[in-house]
Amino acid sequence: MSLFSSLFSGAPASEAERLSIPLFPLSTVLCPGGRLALKIFEQRYLDMTAACLKNRTPFGVCLIAQGKEVGEVAEPHRVGTLAHIAEADMEQLGILQAVVRGGRRYRILETQAQRDGLLRANVELLTEPAPCQVPEALNGVLPLLKRVAADLGVQRLPEPHAFDDAVWVGYRLTEIVPVQALAKQKLLELDDPLFRLEILHTYLAQRRLV
């Protein structure tokens, strides 16, 4: 059994908050607190982004389970992350350059495709654990993450940095480890931040990166 094959999905909160949101299925994973640059040109997503900017509401980023980013409606994985638009600029007509920041994780309850091909979903927000200390046994990941953060700069890895928080460290490592998107998805779905960090530490240690 591979290192990532044993991962399981996070359980929803007992009293879940529910939202109706538009979805943007992608071939990448957005983590809470993460930053993702998007090039938006399909009309359905231009309209979606315009509505989110006007109403100051998020949309949902989710990894594609079946299908493609462009064209027909794609089938998403059930767990994704709310995307809050931080920057948006249309230097070229019909092409929007946007930067989003990851918010809360959510689990899709049901989806419905609109006539324009935009996928909407009723979702329940998942509870994020409180910040917790990085265990001493897993501290070996910190020098690597600090080097990567310095190389990327604050534009790619915005401050505040929280190298003492296992939740933040685990999400940032999930973003940078060179594994397939499905493995990142499984890490995103975990509720236990220490389990996520243990898996990442093991992966990096096996490759002598920590």
Side-chain angles (χ1 to χ4, degrees):
M1 182 178 294
S2 68
L3 179 62
F4 289 98
S5 62
S6 61
L7 301 187
F8 53 85
S9 299
S14 56
E15 297 181 1
E17 302 172 64
R18 297 190 175 186
L19 295 176
S20 175
I21 57 172
L23 297 182
F24 198 165
L26 295 169
S27 57
T28 190
V29 173
L30 175 65
C31 291
R35 190 175 174 90
L36 180 63
L38 298 172
K39 182 179 181 180
I40 303 170
F41 53 87
E42 284 194 88
Q43 192 61 49
R44 54 181 167 173
Y45 296 127
L46 290 171
D47 293 342
M48 175 197 75
T49 307
C52 289
L53 283 168
K54 178 181 178 180
N55 300 318
R56 297 183 179 181
T57 53
F59 57 89
V61 166
C62 44
L63 180 67
I64 293 173
Q66 287 188 326
K68 298 180 180 179
E69 291 185 352
V70 179
E72 297 295 324
V73 178
E75 178 184 342
H77 284 272
R78 290 182 61 211
V79 174
T81 303
L82 294 180
H84 299 268
I85 302 172
E87 302 172 21
D89 188 22
M90 187 177 285
E91 295 182 356
Q92 182 178 347
L93 184 64
I95 300 178
L96 180 69
Q97 304 287 349
V99 176
V100 299
R101 187 77 181 267
R104 294 271 297 276
R105 295 176 305 150
Y106 61 82
R107 183 186 304 278
I108 295 173
L109 300 175
E110 58 182 355
T111 61
Q112 182 176 12
Q114 297 181 169
R115 293 184 64 181
D116 62 359
L118 182 69
L119 197 61
R120 292 197 64 90
N122 292 325
V123 305
E124 58 183 5
L125 299 183
L126 302 182
T127 300
E128 291 296 338
C132 58
Q133 193 71 28
V134 176
E136 184 176 351
L138 304 178
N139 270 342
V141 302
L142 297 180
L144 172 65
L145 183 56
K146 289 178 180 179
R147 289 197 301 272
V148 172
D151 289 342
L152 293 177
V154 294
Q155 285 296 108
R156 294 276 303 280
L157 194 62
E159 296 177 333
H161 297 160
F163 294 108
D164 58 346
D165 176 15
V167 180
W168 186 88
V169 169
Y171 282 139
R172 302 293 75 79
L173 286 173
T174 297
E175 293 166 350
I176 67 173
V177 289
V179 298
Q180 293 182 354
L182 182 57
K184 294 176 185 279
Q185 174 69 25
K186 295 301 183 181
L187 287 166
L188 175 71
E189 293 175 1
L190 290 173
D191 283 334
D192 186 341
L194 297 184
F195 186 31
R196 181 185 297 115
L197 200 53
E198 287 173 4
I199 291 168
L200 288 160
H201 184 276
T202 299
Y203 174 85
L204 295 169
Q206 288 174 346
R207 285 149 184 81
R208 300 182 180 180
L209 295 173
V210 299

